[in-house]
Amino acid sequence: MTEAGQSREDAMEWTVLPGLSPYEETLKAMEARVAAIAAGGADEAVWLLEHPPLYTAGTSARSEDLTDPGRFPVYVAGRGGQYTYHGPGQRVAYVMLDLNRRGRDVRRFVCALEDWVIQTLAAFNVRGERRAERVGVWVSRPDRPPLADGTAREDKIAAIGVKLRRWVSFHGISINVEPDLSHFDGIVPCGLRDFGVTSLVDLGLPVTMDDLDLALRQSFDPAMARLSAPPTGRCEG
């Protein structure tokens, strides 16, 4: 909701949806909210939620990367990226921001979302890293055997996939808190076959969803400050 003293331009609504949010219904509600923001009739918003177990296919999804098509429902998401998993124990943040006033720069927006995840993970002493050749946020796993070519093991802890409509964003990020990691076995996550998936609890951290939500709130504004900073031409951090 809009806080007292805020104008519509500065307002941000944060909502935590209880239970498991049905995917199709939530997507329709998000699209309606995006249309209202674009029309000037609603505040920007971040929805924090969990979905029941499901797979989503982004615009670059390849059929061969759905390795167990009968395991969970599969939805065409319309966002960028390939196949991803959503389910209980994973925090999904749907981010509806008006880039007409924050700057019409898609790359900087994606960088800001990566910053948001990295700063949130830092609150739990987890070093999240970006990779130029791979989407999402990654953590090094020196505790795991290296890859066959000797490369140090890295696991994905967060996914990012967004879409813009009239320069208002939707979809967003997902961070693994304590999902059933075996559920990722039915897809090749984001088309990357040589890397694993991890979570905060898998890393040995007893983080709750409430803990993560607090860190997400605290790191949001500093991360989004990238959108109004002088452009550097690249992501950092």
Side-chain angles (χ1 to χ4, degrees), residues 2-149:
T2 305
E3 298 181 6
Q6 283 185 317
S7 66
R8 166 65 45 87
E9 182 174 333
D10 297 327
M12 171 67 67
E13 178 185 290
W14 288 80
T15 303
V16 179
L17 301 180
L20 299 179
S21 300
Y23 185 79
E24 291 180 306
E25 293 177 20
T26 306
L27 185 62
K28 289 178 181 178
M30 179 169 52
E31 290 178 337
R33 181 57 176 261
V34 165
I37 294 170
D43 298 331
E44 294 180 312
V46 175
W47 294 351
L48 303 175
L49 57 103
E50 295 172 80
H51 283 306
L54 57 93
Y55 299 128
T56 66
T59 54
S60 301
R62 300 174 298 188
S63 58
E64 62 268 27
D65 288 342
L66 181 61
T67 59
D68 190 357
R71 187 168 190 178
F72 298 126
V74 180
Y75 297 96
V76 177
R79 48 143 182 87
Q82 302 186 39
Y83 279 106
T84 60
Y85 166 77
H86 294 313
Q90 181 192 73
R91 176 54 90 210
V92 174
Y94 286 138
V95 183
M96 291 155 273
L97 298 185
D98 186 359
L99 299 190
N100 290 291
R101 66 179 182 83
R102 291 179 180 264
R104 293 184 176 187
D105 189 323
V106 178
R107 182 56 189 150
R108 293 184 77 188
F109 178 53
V110 173
C111 289
L113 292 176
E114 291 172 343
D115 286 347
W116 186 28
V117 173
I118 290 168
Q119 292 177 32
T120 297
L121 294 175
F124 307 105
N125 295 316
V126 173
R127 181 179 174 83
E129 299 178 306
R130 51 169 60 92
R131 293 290 180 262
E133 71 281 10
R134 288 183 254 131
V135 296
V137 175
W138 300 80
V139 293
S140 298
R141 298 303 305 269
D143 58 317
R144 299 286 178 88
L147 300 178
D149 63 359

